[in-house]
Amino acid sequence: MLLLRTLLQMPELRLSLHTGEDQLDRTVTRVYGTELPDPSRYLSGGELVLSGLLWHHGPQDSETFVHSLATARVAGLAASETENRALPDDLVDACVRHHVPLLEVPVDLSFATITERVSMELVGLSRHRRLLNVVAEGSGLPALLLAGGHELGASCWVLSTAGRVVAGGELPDRLALVKEFLQADRLPKTVKGVTLVPVSERGGSRLTSWILVVGGSVQPEAAAELASLVALERLREAQGRQIENRTAAPLVNAVLSGSADLESRLAAAGLEHDRLRVISAVTSDQRADLAAAVLEEALPQALVTPVGDTVYAVAKAGDSQPDELREAMRVMEPGLGSSRVLVGISSPVTSRGLRGAAEEAAHARRLGERRGGRTCVVAGEEIALHQLLLAGVPEELRTSLRRRLLGPVLDYDAEHGSDLMGTLKVFLDCSGSWTAAAGKLHVHVNTLRYRVGRVEELLGVDLAEFEARVDLFLALQAG
């Protein structure tokens, strides 16, 4: 509602109060300008009456005019005298007697300006009331966005910071818009022909916001108003996720421990008949809250819970999930600050394979530590068995095994400036093929035979033996 008090606080109107300080909480319903001595027949209550006092010739005129306003229960009178004269004392006295608030309008301010400003405010309140009704009816975010677009005269969308279109249909350049949002110095921001407005939970970060996208350049107040109502829908979704995630912690604990009640935990989560994936995520600075936020935005249907510094999620399996997760995390990178996020995602499994899937996800995540990039997603099905096995070996042990098996060659290369290690790696990568390895190294086969012979001599092994090749291959991979 629009109060008289609010009008006095509008610096562009420069209204001053003469009387009625205890009545400033009256609601203004419309603006009505008049120079009639008795305008009561045109008043219905709640008006801000504007008058230049052309009807005023003496005290009786003030009495008649103000009495008609009081009878009609107007919100107040905003009056202006010409030629810089003060408002008549008899008008002030009449307003005091009849309890009609009296505001003085500066002589250089047109009534048209007041009418336009107040009307704009009232339109905004009406719009807010109509949109609030949509929220109250529980029609959902698509209906609110449709109504909001109609009120603003513009197309509207809601995006997540993972690049997902939450509502509003297909949106070109959505990933570029998310990047602009996360990197913006100030919001709202107009870019690429649309306005980006944050939709945040109270106390939430920009990374966990939704983004209201409004086509074209709109009034910031109108866009912020719609965003505040979209935030109510955001809160509803967050509360729904909190309810769903109540089953996440017991389910993940049952998965990690191999508990006998795993099937009942899956049933409680409604996942007992689905193929599933387990996801494991950490950040470089041990921020479980950030890792959880990333997974919740990137995998909105997953059950997410922290276990110490690691965050686990269980989700219905989809063939494209690893790629979708990579894309979402790349989009979110500008909002990660100095943190690096590492994620491992298991192969699809049934309920019986969940404990192994959790281990696979953790191993895959540890493999990501050796890769570059602010974010890294490693899927279990895309890595070899030996890599998964090595990922489960502590780094100190991997270093010790590498040194024990390859130490003499490492020392020889360091002392003579040679690259027998490189030769050994290429030879094993080529499955022991002399011709293929020599071609890849751009040397004669006899040169290759000499180098491999030197490796065998230093290590005391025969590379014709399969087991020797496997040991050295794993030692090379452990580095």
Side-chain angles (χ1 to χ4, degrees):
M1 64 181 66
L2 178 60
L3 305 179
L4 276 179
R5 186 185 309 280
T6 305
L7 300 184
L8 287 168
Q9 294 168 350
M10 294 180 178
E12 66 272 32
L13 298 187
R14 295 178 285 128
L15 300 175
S16 58
L17 181 67
H18 270 264
T19 181
E21 188 171 356
D22 58 339
Q23 298 154 30
L24 293 180
D25 289 330
R26 290 188 179 184
T27 301
V28 178
T29 59
R30 68 184 180 111
V31 179
Y32 177 71
T34 184
E35 299 302 334
L36 295 174
D38 181 355
S40 56
R41 62 181 295 188
Y42 301 104
L43 302 173
S44 56
E47 291 88 355
L48 174 68
V49 177
L50 303 179
S51 180
L53 308 185
L54 299 181
W55 46 265
H56 182 266
H57 301 290
Q60 185 56 45
D61 295 332
S62 292
E63 176 65 25
T64 301
F65 185 82
V66 175
H67 179 266
S68 71
L69 302 188
T71 302
R73 299 181 180 278
V74 302
L77 169 63
S80 178
E81 265 284 18
T82 58
E83 302 174 2
N84 233 1
R85 291 182 299 173
L87 296 179
D89 290 339
D90 53 84
L91 176 65
V92 177
D93 292 341
C95 287
V96 171
R97 279 196 309 277
H98 293 288
H99 305 289
V100 175
L102 175 60
L103 288 67
E104 183 171 1
V105 180
V107 293
D108 61 338
L109 182 68
S110 73
F111 285 174
T113 299
I114 299 175
T115 301
E116 180 181 359
R117 182 65 180 88
V118 174
S119 297
M120 186 185 306
E121 194 74 18
L122 290 172
V123 167
L125 289 169
S126 298
R127 177 179 60 236
H128 183 80
R129 191 176 297 111
R130 289 191 293 270
L131 293 177
L132 192 58
N133 285 338
V134 176
V135 175
E137 291 168 359
S139 302
L141 182 58
L144 174 60
L145 211 58
L146 186 64
H150 177 74
E151 295 287 348
L152 299 179
S155 298
C156 297
W157 300 263
V158 173
L159 294 177
S160 77
T161 49
R164 173 174 57 96
V165 178
V166 180
E170 190 63 31
L171 176 61
D173 297 329
R174 59 183 173 84
L175 301 185
L177 292 176
V178 173
K179 184 177 181 180
E180 291 280 358
F181 174 83
L182 291 173
Q183 293 180 328
D185 293 331
R186 184 178 300 175
L187 294 169
K189 179 179 182 179
T190 300
V191 61
K192 298 181 183 293
V194 299
T195 300
L196 307 177
V197 188
V199 178
S200 303
E201 296 178 59
R202 181 171 295 179
S205 69
R206 187 178 294 191
L207 186 67
T208 58
S209 294
W210 277 352
I211 308 165
L212 173 62
V213 183
V214 182
S217 180
V218 297
Q219 291 180 350
E221 296 86 355
E225 176 186 283
L226 178 56
S228 69
L229 296 176
V230 173
L232 296 178
E233 297 294 338
R234 175 87 170 100
L235 180 60
R236 285 180 179 176
E237 181 181 274
Q239 290 173 337
R241 174 178 282 279
Q242 288 177 354
I243 293 172
E244 291 175 358
N245 274 348
R246 289 175 184 172
T247 63
L251 172 59
V252 168
N253 288 332
V255 168
L256 296 178
S257 65
S259 172
D261 67 348
L262 175 58
E263 292 295 337
S264 64
R265 296 298 183 186
L266 287 170
L271 299 173
E272 67 270 34
H273 302 303
D274 297 297
R275 287 177 62 78
L276 305 168
R277 289 184 189 265
V278 179
I279 301 96
S280 174
V282 298
T283 69
S284 55
D285 46 3
Q286 290 81 48
R287 286 191 55 193
D289 61 325
L290 179 61
V294 168
L295 289 188
E296 287 177 352
E297 292 299 323
L299 298 170
Q301 305 305 319
L303 297 176
V304 180
T305 188
V307 179
D309 293 334
T310 304
V311 174
Y312 284 91
V314 178
K316 293 181 181 180
D319 293 338
S320 59
Q321 271 171 328
D323 290 336
E324 291 172 356
L325 194 53
R326 286 190 188 94
E327 180 185 83
M329 291 180 61
R330 279 196 298 269
V331 173
M332 299 172 80
E333 280 186 9
L336 295 178
S338 60
S339 299
R340 184 173 185 239
V341 181
L342 305 171
V343 178
I345 179 169
S346 76
S347 308
V349 296
T350 62
S351 60
R352 293 184 179 180
L354 276 174
R355 186 174 185 183
E359 294 174 355
E360 182 183 55
H363 292 335
R365 187 202 73 229
R366 284 193 284 270
L367 281 176
E369 295 174 2
R370 306 186 197 178
R371 301 185 182 181
R374 293 287 309 288
T375 61
C376 183
V377 177
V378 181
E381 58 258 49
E382 68 190 40
I383 56 180
L385 177 60
H386 73 274
Q387 291 177 304
L388 282 174
L389 294 174
L390 285 172
V393 178
E395 184 175 356
E396 297 82 1
L397 182 56
R398 290 200 306 269
T399 301
S400 174
L401 291 173
R402 177 181 170 84
R403 181 69 199 174
R404 179 166 64 83
L405 290 173
L406 297 172
V409 175
L410 292 168
D411 294 341
Y412 185 90
D413 281 347
E415 181 179 350
H416 296 87
S418 58
D419 189 22
L420 291 182
M421 285 287 290
T423 297
L424 175 60
K425 184 177 186 308
V426 171
F427 181 70
L428 294 178
D429 287 345
C430 292
S431 302
S433 169
W434 297 102
T435 303
K440 197 168 184 179
L441 290 167
H442 305 290
V443 298
H444 194 275
V445 171
N446 288 339
T447 301
L448 176 61
R449 290 185 183 277
Y450 169 77
R451 293 181 182 177
V452 170
R454 191 77 183 103
V455 169
E456 290 177 320
E457 180 183 338
L458 288 168
L459 299 181
V461 299
D462 181 358
L463 286 176
E465 296 179 358
F466 178 73
E467 288 186 1
R469 291 188 185 184
V470 169
D471 285 346
L472 295 181
F473 176 79
L474 291 175
L476 287 166
Q477 294 294 319

